[in-house]
Amino acid sequence: LAICWDKKTLTIKFDESFPEAGALIGFGQRAIRTESESRTEDSLQTAMANEQARFHIFLGSKVLVRKDDAPTTTFLCNEAQAFDVQFEEAVLLGADDTGPRLAVPSSFDVESLVPPYTTYDMRALLYSSAISDIEASTVAQAASLLHWQRMNRYCGLCGQKTTSRIGGYRRECKNCNTSQFPRTDPVVIMLAIRGDYCLLGRSAHFPPGWFSTLAGFVEPGETIEAAVRRETYEESGIELRRVRYHTSQPWPFPHSLMIGAFGEAISEEIRFDANELEDCRWFSRDDVRKMIDDNHEAGFKCPPTKAIAHSLIRKWVQASDD
Amino acid sequence: LAICWDKKTLTIKFDESFPEAGALIGFGQRAIRTESESRTEDSLQTAMANEQARFHIFLGSKVLVRKDDAPTTTFLCNEAQAFDVQFEEAVLLGADDTGPRLAVPSSFDVESLVPPYTTYDMRALLYSSAISDIEASTVAQAASLLHWQRMNRYCGLCGQKTTSRIGGYRRECKNCNTSQFPRTDPVVIMLAIRGDYCLLGRSAHFPPGWFSTLAGFVEPGETIEAAVRRETYEESGIELRRVRYHTSQPWPFPHSLMIGAFGEAISEEIRFDANELEDCRWFSRDDVRKMIDDNHEAGFKCPPTKAIAHSLIRKWVQASDD
């Protein structure tokens, strides 16, 4: 097969800009100091005793929002107490200049919430702009950590109960003397390029008209680049040669790290995996330009700006405009 | 602070080569087809029934090696049976042209092994070249997966026993109807650069004279770039601005994914974390060139070629030679 990593493709300029692309898309803002090296057994207690401590409150996987003139997901202890908050399961996220920031689960019945209080799931939080991108990034950190806490109440090695340590960034089993640390799942998400065409697919659960980049979990023993090639081949039948990293995004569903890359396609015939996708096609640069501007005549669309898929697609389209 | 991402630094050319750097360092070879999308409940049984199936055998975290004229870590069923192999805990890694490849734990007493049989831990396997890099990459996949299996015998949510499914790439809890998938921990490893100097540190457990790049786990809610900046700052006190991805490496201790990057240092004064490091210094390009050639007059050394740290350091040194 001919190699077709053409001149236009090569004009994708890897960010000399600062901050990088990943810091500008959803959940990618650095909002608080996490001070990971200085977490101790006392950190959590000290933070809880601080009157300025603010809590993110989770009802299951949804976050509590006070939706008034200045919507927020942070609550001082007084306000938090009205929501059956399980303070004994609090985790310490870090601090900003206003004080410590924590996350707590709540057993409050979501049906009993009255305005201005409501809940948002992480996807709604990302796309609604109900709160700032900076605050949403801290909420994502909180959601990932609380999910991991919930899923590791028992020791996987011996089955006994574990306890949360150093503010929630470790769970310890006193029975078999092992520790677990928060889990983050690396996922590759990639735009395969062949000349003036890129490869997009759609899952059955996508909104009408949506097409997006392919994606999949990195498996044990794989490099990022090998995962990009394997997932692309398995889902679409397209073979990739060179792979170039673009940027990354935290993705709290429940605790992934999206690793965005471009891939040099060296085959054209699509044989897509019907278990994963309901459609998969090559789109021209002109088509994609219309899709990101949401004026494609066939109603085709791309994911919105806060998704890393959008960042990959836009970067490729813009490469020809530079 | 002045920005010092100077012209020389900018001449680091991001790989147009194929295969990329990560495919040439340790554990980074793609050795077998993992066929991850087509794993079913029957895959494992079918593979086990295949007379050509070959097994990697683990005594704890060490792999069995038959160290004769053609050393190997793969054993047909007949030979494997001599080593108290727990076939019921086998996992299916994939296949190559010779047949299926599996991994199994063994309860054989390591003290009872006689030549030509011996065991290697993953680090010895990497640096000894006892077996090919391709085979070592499959062993790394096997070691990571078996460790994850061992650590997830019980459900973290409810504490009941879990069972291995789809050849070992899922563990299921029938009590609470949840599934767990293999874990891979993203770790950032980075070379901070300021003009003609780079930042290297040494841990107390390093061999004498060794200095290496800093590294640390990506935390929930972080981008790769944010983790690079945070870890560098926490360990050395050095602030980074721009971050550029280099390459990646599977790292089976027990199941990490090393994500290598360069960072643009915008401060100079080192205040290293004495809990993590026993030394941390700026090294000139000339010093580092001698260190990678192992002829530095002070006996300073870098990690060997199969480590991603070496790849980062060599890439930077060579950038000035291009």
Side-chain angles (χ1 to χ4, degrees), chain A residues 149-165:
Chain A
Q149 285 276 339
R150 194 160 56 242
M151 295 302 290
N152 288 276
R153 286 183 187 140
Y154 294 87
C155 175
L157 183 60
C158 77
Q160 298 304 300
K161 279 209 168 181
T162 58
T163 49
S164 178
R165 308 304 297 270

Side-chain angles (χ1 to χ4, degrees), chain B residues 69-125:
Chain B
D69 292 348
T72 186
T73 61
T74 71
F75 302 93
L76 293 171
C77 186
N78 272 354
E79 191 172 2
Q81 280 171 331
F83 297 98
D84 301 341
V85 160
Q86 295 157 315
F87 284 111
E88 71 283 4
E89 295 191 26
V91 298
L92 177 60
L93 304 172
D96 66 9
D97 293 341
T98 69
R101 196 74 71 81
L102 300 102
V104 280
S106 154
S107 57
F108 197 82
D109 177 15
V110 66
E111 302 295 327
S112 306
L113 288 175
V114 291
Y117 298 102
T118 185
T119 59
Y120 277 70
D121 67 25
M122 291 303 104
R123 211 169 295 265
L125 200 73

Side-chain angles (χ1 to χ4, degrees), chain A residues 89-136:
Chain A
E89 295 191 26
V91 298
L92 177 59
L93 304 172
D96 66 8
D97 293 342
T98 68
R101 195 75 69 84
L102 301 101
V104 280
S106 154
S107 57
F108 197 82
D109 177 14
V110 66
E111 302 295 327
S112 305
L113 287 175
V114 291
Y117 298 102
T118 185
T119 59
Y120 277 70
D121 65 27
M122 290 303 104
R123 212 169 294 267
L125 200 72
L126 178 68
Y127 294 134
S128 69
S129 300
I131 58 169
S132 73
D133 289 347
I134 287 182
E135 190 169 324

Side-chain angles (χ1 to χ4, degrees), chain A residues 38-280:
Chain A
S38 55
R39 286 174 198 132
T40 67
E41 295 305 323
D42 295 334
S43 308
L44 180 63
Q45 282 193 313
T46 305
M48 295 281 283
N50 187 323
E51 283 185 5
Q52 296 308 311
R54 286 180 295 157
F55 295 86
H56 298 277
I57 301 169
F58 286 78
L59 286 67
S61 61
K62 295 186 173 185
V63 69
L64 185 69
V65 178
R66 191 184 64 225
K67 206 175 167 186
D68 53 17
D69 291 348
T72 187
T73 61
T74 69
F75 301 93
L76 292 171
C77 186
N78 272 354
E79 192 172 2
Q81 279 171 329
F83 297 97
D84 299 341
V85 161
Q86 295 157 314
F87 284 112
E88 70 284 5
E89 295 191 26
V91 298
L92 177 59
L93 304 172
D96 66 8
D97 293 342
T98 68
R101 195 75 69 84
L102 301 101
V104 280
S106 154
S107 57
F108 197 82
D109 177 14
V110 66
E111 302 295 327
S112 305
L113 287 175
V114 291
Y117 298 102
T118 185
T119 59
Y120 277 70
D121 65 27
M122 290 303 104
R123 212 169 294 267
L125 200 72
L126 178 68
Y127 294 134
S128 69
S129 300
I131 58 169
S132 73
D133 289 347
I134 287 182
E135 190 169 324
S137 299
T138 306
V139 174
Q141 176 192 351
S144 293
L145 198 57
L146 284 186
H147 179 91
W148 172 78
Q149 285 276 339
R150 194 160 56 242
M151 295 302 290
N152 288 276
R153 286 183 187 140
Y154 294 87
C155 175
L157 183 60
C158 77
Q160 298 304 300
K161 279 209 168 181
T162 58
T163 49
S164 178
R165 308 304 297 270
I166 58 167
Y169 272 80
R170 182 159 73 82
R171 287 195 76 93
E172 184 180 84
C173 175
K174 284 178 182 153
N175 181 55
C176 70
N177 201 27
T178 56
S179 284
Q180 288 285 324
F181 295 89
R183 175 170 172 147
T184 299
D185 299 318
V187 173
V188 287
I189 178 165
M190 50 271 166
L191 186 68
I193 299 165
R194 184 160 170 83
D196 264 327
Y197 290 81
C198 75
L199 184 73
L200 300 174
R202 63 169 277 117
S203 298
H205 65 79
F206 278 4
W210 267 41
F211 280 80
S212 188
T213 48
L214 307 182
F217 288 100
V218 178
E219 296 205 329
E222 271 185 333
T223 63
I224 289 170
E225 292 77 6
V228 165
R229 292 189 195 104
R230 178 186 52 75
E231 279 288 339
T232 300
Y233 183 74
E234 288 180 349
E235 292 195 357
S236 70
I238 296 300
E239 290 173 70
L240 299 183
R241 194 170 175 269
R242 289 180 292 186
V243 171
R244 298 188 66 167
Y245 173 79
H246 171 48
T247 197
S248 63
Q249 178 182 36
W251 197 238
F253 305 99
H255 36 49
S256 289
L257 171 67
M258 306 303 284
I259 302 173
F262 298 97
E264 171 194 26
I266 55 171
S267 71
E268 279 181 13
E269 191 195 344
I270 295 169
R271 285 167 282 108
F272 67 85
D273 177 356
N275 294 318
E276 293 273 332
L277 300 174
E278 67 170 32
D279 200 354
C280 185

Side-chain angles (χ1 to χ4, degrees), chain A residues 16 20 30 36-37 39 153-154 156 181 183 219 221 224-225 229-230 234 242 244-245 248, chain B residues 16 20 30 36-37 39 153-154 156 181 183 219 221 224-225 229-230 234 242 244-245 248:
Chain A
E16 294 305 324
E20 68 280 352
R30 274 298 72 191
S36 73
E37 300 287 345
R39 286 174 198 132
R153 286 183 187 140
Y154 294 87
F181 295 89
R183 175 170 172 147
E219 296 205 329
I224 289 170
E225 292 77 6
R229 292 189 195 104
R230 178 186 52 75
E234 288 180 349
R242 289 180 292 186
R244 298 188 66 167
Y245 173 79
S248 63
Chain B
E16 293 305 322
E20 68 280 353
R30 272 298 75 191
S36 73
E37 300 286 346
R39 287 174 196 132
R153 286 181 187 142
Y154 294 87
F181 296 89
R183 175 171 173 146
E219 297 206 328
I224 289 170
E225 292 77 5
R229 292 189 196 105
R230 178 185 53 74
E234 288 180 349
R242 288 180 291 186
R244 296 188 67 165
Y245 173 79
S248 62

Side-chain angles (χ1 to χ4, degrees), chain B residues 54-58 62-68 70-76 79-80 83 93 101-104 116-122 125-126 128-140 142:
Chain B
R54 287 181 295 156
F55 295 86
H56 298 278
I57 300 169
F58 286 78
K62 294 185 173 186
V63 69
L64 186 69
V65 179
R66 190 183 65 226
K67 206 175 167 188
D68 53 18
T72 186
T73 61
T74 71
F75 302 93
L76 293 171
E79 191 172 2
F83 297 98
L93 304 172
R101 196 74 71 81
L102 300 102
V104 280
Y117 298 102
T118 185
T119 59
Y120 277 70
D121 67 25
M122 291 303 104
L125 200 73
L126 178 69
S128 70
S129 299
I131 58 169
S132 73
D133 288 347
I134 287 183
E135 189 169 325
S137 300
T138 306
V139 174

